[in-house]
Amino acid sequence: MKFLKEIFIKIIYVFLLIYLIIFIPKLFGYNPLVVISGSMEPTLKVGGLLYYEEIDINDFKEKDILVYELKDHIISHRVVEHLDNGFITKGDANNSYDSSIVNDNQVLGRGTNWSIPLLGYYADFIFRHKYILKILLSIGIIDLFVDYLIKRKDNQNEKK
């Protein structure tokens, strides 16, 4: 039974560590984004985790990855041209430019030219089910506290 508990707790710690890996870049201004389309393959793979940073509109260059909002979803495509009224974009895997110009007010930031494969699936799950993270964190903290109490009791028994 103790063996199963140890495995369970280690799995929880791994999930918490992955969560930290996903969100620590936010402290440095990089926001995570799950890649849900193959339009930027092979650079950004479906299920990968892309990071983007907010930058000034005028700092975008040709071939940067532009992350922007379109209706109810977020897109990351490459800048083809920066116009006075917005951007012309294109996905790496697409044959043609995007049909509409991306306005400055739609822009969220500049994306990285890489993504962490498959981690987006986990991030998406956590985004959608935040309560699960709270449960895992609670179990981890309780386990640490119980282990501390047991070790403290064992140390007291050894001194007697």
Side-chain angles (χ1 to χ4, degrees), residues 1-81:
M1 185 68 171
K2 185 177 180 182
F3 176 73
L4 290 177
K5 177 192 171 245
E6 288 176 9
I7 290 175
F8 179 71
I9 294 301
K10 286 180 183 179
I11 289 171
I12 289 173
Y13 287 142
V14 166
F15 283 132
L16 291 174
L17 179 64
I18 293 170
Y19 177 82
L20 289 174
I21 289 169
I22 292 169
F23 289 102
I24 283 178
K26 277 187 79 73
L27 299 173
F28 303 100
Y30 291 93
N31 299 300
L33 177 65
V34 179
V35 179
I36 59 170
S37 154
S39 66
M40 284 296 291
E41 288 199 7
T43 305
L44 305 175
K45 303 231 184 266
V46 174
L49 190 67
L50 158 75
Y51 288 94
Y52 68 93
E53 62 178 327
E54 295 176 18
I55 67 167
D56 186 88
I57 293 294
N58 297 314
D59 290 340
F60 279 95
K61 299 178 185 86
E62 188 178 310
K63 297 188 181 178
D64 278 347
I65 293 179
L66 182 76
V67 177
Y68 61 96
E69 256 183 307
L70 184 63
K71 296 180 184 173
D72 59 346
H73 57 283
I74 297 173
I75 297 174
S76 46
H77 280 175
R78 224 171 270 288
V79 172
V80 174
E81 188 176 348

Side-chain angles (χ1 to χ4, degrees), residues 80-125:
V80 174
E81 188 176 348
H82 189 175
L83 308 170
D84 291 337
N85 62 339
F87 296 89
I88 296 175
T89 58
K90 178 184 175 297
D92 289 356
N94 296 345
N95 293 326
S96 58
Y97 299 151
D98 295 335
S99 59
S100 59
I101 292 175
V102 178
N103 298 320
D104 292 351
N105 62 349
Q106 293 174 284
V107 175
L108 298 175
R110 178 177 57 205
T112 54
N113 276 309
W114 52 270
S115 64
I116 303 172
L118 305 176
L119 196 54
Y121 293 119
Y122 176 76
D124 185 51
F125 180 78

